[in-house]
Amino acid sequence: MNNAFSRRQFLKQGGAAAFSLAFLPAIAGKVAPSDKLRIAHIGLGGMGNNHLKWFAGLPEVDIVALCDLDQDHLSSTMKTLETLRPGSKAQGYADFRQVLDRKDIDAITCATPDHWHAQIAMLAFEAGKDVYGEKPLSYDVKEGQRMLKSLNRHKRIFQMGTQIHATDNYHRVVEIIRSGAIGNVHTVRLWKTGLPPELGPAVIQAPPPTLDWDMWLGPAPYVDYTPQRCHFTYRYFKDYSGGVFADFWSHIADVVFWSVEPKGLKSIYARGEASKGIDDAPLWVDVDYEFEGLNLYWTHLPPNVPGAAKRHIGAYFEGDKGTLICDYNTREITINGQTVTDIPEVPITIVRSPGHQQNFVDSVKSRIQPESNLEYARKMVLPMHLGLISYRLNRKLNWNSKREKFRDDKEANTYLHREYRKKWDLL
């Protein structure tokens, strides 16, 4: 397949070009130390360094701590911080619990592998910290449920890192869909092209002396170290994530759940292909979702609809009056055979974002939840988890959306949560 588009390419191109200053507010000047938000960054890989750069660009933020259990990552990011904030007095840590113990830290960002997202967030809530956490929200369904309860109990602020949510394009798509311009939306098609990389043979070896492998695994089952399981390519192993599907679902499902607000999920039916390498997340997966009054389809190839083939990722909305196709930066609306990129008659009704990270900072100060808040993110991410369960079991599953359990299916329900490895059950 020649249309592969890796997440690494996305980070390089989207992070450097599309994101860049688009997600940072156009503000300048000095802020009094007493007004600054004191932030710690936990997880310092590719996305963690993006967090550092984004928040370092905000005058209202003081970066006071960096944390990673890989000493090479920590050392490298410390040097990056010094170039961004010369003279920084930020301290470095290998264990995030030491960060959470600090009373002078207001908020954390979390860009660890997926299987650590929920525990770190909940422990941060308990420690009185607000959280900017990367997508996907959690490793499984129950974690998302527990996160929301913990957030409400401790009255904390949470923003999921769906940076694309802040773009004008997504805001405008939502306004057009909600206006009824294409009528009642009955079908939505989502897609993301590209396959995982070939990881080669597994070579069991001793972990690097700079890496705490046992803590990296944390709540996941213990396995001997192989380089492919760690850092960037962890996402292609079911113990830690769910492959390309889990990696990109939030990128494009976000605009659907924001604009259409699917409700009453009834059934999930996934088909896919297993990887031929050492990784075990699906090579690809297609999923059919039936909601009340809405059919939602995820495919690993573009659907056979106008304009899809030229987009590596996208959403195609079918209404009873017209259609709308979009990706991160573009949109096309077709009504009565005429295609346009905007409908000026549809008013601007959604306040534009000051920048995704600025939105979080503003929310911490106002104590009003941000756009990509936890309650919203949990609803949006939940169907992704269910799609992976259907793939694992290779059959259609029926869902009770009120109880958030599968109907009459004990086997499927066992996949809604994985017990943590006892040593790393920290809650």
Side-chain angles (χ1 to χ4, degrees):
M1 183 186 300
N2 60 9
N3 59 356
F5 189 93
S6 72
R7 190 173 190 272
R8 190 182 302 275
Q9 288 173 297
F10 172 79
L11 290 177
K12 287 181 178 178
Q13 297 175 15
F19 290 178
S20 182
L21 297 178
F23 294 116
L24 298 179
I27 58 178
K30 296 183 178 180
V31 178
S34 59
D35 292 332
K36 287 195 173 187
L37 182 68
R38 294 159 297 185
I39 282 184
H41 297 293
I42 299 173
L44 304 174
M47 186 54 80
N49 272 267
N50 279 338
H51 283 191
L52 173 71
K53 294 169 186 176
W54 291 331
F55 281 96
L58 303 178
E60 296 163 271
V61 168
D62 188 11
I63 297 171
V64 298
L66 300 178
C67 178
D68 199 291
L69 44 68
D70 185 323
Q71 291 302 306
D72 289 340
H73 280 190
L74 179 59
S75 176
S76 174
T77 308
M78 277 289 192
K79 293 177 182 177
T80 300
L81 177 57
E82 179 61 27
T83 65
L84 297 170
R85 294 275 182 94
S88 169
K89 293 180 173 56
Q91 292 182 267
Y93 299 88
D95 190 327
F96 70 86
R97 290 171 291 187
Q98 293 177 297
V99 174
L100 300 185
D101 284 341
R102 283 183 52 173
K103 304 300 183 184
D104 63 328
I105 292 174
D106 302 308
I108 67 161
T109 76
C110 179
T112 64
D114 303 359
H115 65 290
W116 263 117
H117 286 179
Q119 273 209 95
I120 291 177
M122 286 186 279
L123 290 167
F125 297 156
E126 290 178 5
K129 316 297 192 235
D130 298 314
V131 179
Y132 180 100
E134 265 310 314
K135 53 196 174 298
L137 179 70
S138 59
Y139 174 78
D140 61 33
V141 171
K142 185 176 180 180
E143 281 190 333
Q145 295 168 338
R146 294 177 70 185
M147 287 175 74
L148 183 58
K149 289 180 181 178
S150 178
L151 174 115
N152 290 332
R153 180 166 61 250
H154 297 288
K155 296 179 172 57
R156 305 320 307 168
I157 296 295
F158 181 91
Q159 169 110 303
M160 190 170 79
T162 42
Q163 292 83 22
I164 301 158
H165 192 101
T167 62
D168 181 77
N169 187 53
Y170 270 24
H171 283 70
R172 190 60 180 153
V173 167
V174 174
E175 287 169 340
I176 292 170
I177 295 293
R178 287 182 176 178
S179 76
I182 67 168
N184 179 57
V185 175
H186 53 78
T187 304
V188 179
R189 302 179 189 277
L190 303 177
W191 67 96
K192 170 68 183 79
T193 66
L195 302 178
E198 295 182 8
L199 299 183
V203 180
I204 296 175
Q205 55 192 267
T210 56
L211 173 70
D212 186 339
W213 176 238
D214 183 58
M215 188 175 186
W216 189 96
L217 289 171
Y222 185 85
V223 293
D224 290 327
Y225 174 79
T226 60
Q228 297 96 328
R229 281 183 170 266
C230 194
H231 296 331
F232 183 85
T233 49
Y234 77 83
R235 54 186 33 86
Y236 306 117
F237 293 85
K238 289 188 293 189
D239 278 348
Y240 324 118
S241 188
V244 173
F245 174 55
D247 203 15
F248 280 93
W249 168 269
S250 296
H251 287 250
I252 195 68
D254 181 34
V255 74
V256 179
F257 279 76
W258 190 7
S259 59
V260 180
E261 299 181 352
K263 292 180 176 65
L265 179 61
K266 298 178 180 180
S267 67
I268 309 100
Y269 177 43
R271 293 86 57 208
E273 182 179 350
S275 170
K276 298 176 176 60
I278 63 170
D279 49 316
D280 59 2
L283 182 68
W284 60 266
V285 64
D286 293 347
V287 192
D288 302 345
Y289 296 96
E290 181 187 1
F291 292 86
E292 291 180 1
L294 177 74
N295 290 318
L296 175 65
Y297 303 102
W298 171 281
T299 54
H300 73 291
L301 294 174
N304 185 24
V305 297
K310 64 182 180 182
R311 293 174 166 88
H312 70 87
I313 191 168
Y316 186 81
F317 298 82
E318 300 178 28
D320 52 23
K321 295 181 181 179
T323 64
L324 185 151
I325 188 171
C326 70
D327 54 20
Y328 299 147
N329 303 308
T330 68
R331 61 184 178 272
E332 295 175 2
I333 310 102
T334 301
I335 301 173
N336 296 326
Q338 182 179 2
T339 299
V340 296
T341 58
D342 196 15
I343 304 176
E345 294 78 13
V346 174
I348 293 175
T349 56
I350 304 173
V351 176
R352 294 312 189 246
S353 173
H356 204 254
Q357 294 74 34
Q358 184 67 47
N359 184 210
F360 175 68
V361 171
D362 293 346
S363 292
V364 170
K365 292 184 175 183
S366 69
R367 309 314 296 171
I368 298 172
Q369 294 295 339
E371 283 189 333
S372 296
N373 59 76
L374 201 156
E375 183 175 12
Y376 166 79
R378 192 189 75 85
K379 293 176 182 177
M380 187 260 287
V381 172
L382 187 147
M384 178 272 289
H385 292 308
L386 305 186
L388 287 172
I389 296 172
S390 177
Y391 165 79
R392 285 190 181 209
L393 297 176
N394 193 30
R395 55 186 169 85
K396 183 177 180 179
L397 301 173
N398 296 312
W399 182 248
N400 184 323
S401 60
K402 291 184 178 179
R403 298 185 62 206
E404 293 197 348
K405 287 188 175 182
F406 293 106
R407 295 184 184 275
D408 303 317
D409 198 325
K410 292 182 179 179
E411 182 183 20
N413 282 324
T414 63
Y415 285 96
L416 295 176
H417 181 58
R418 175 183 67 186
E419 294 299 320
Y420 294 152
R421 194 158 52 110
K422 186 174 182 179
K423 178 181 179 181
W424 293 103
D425 186 349
L426 306 179
L427 297 167

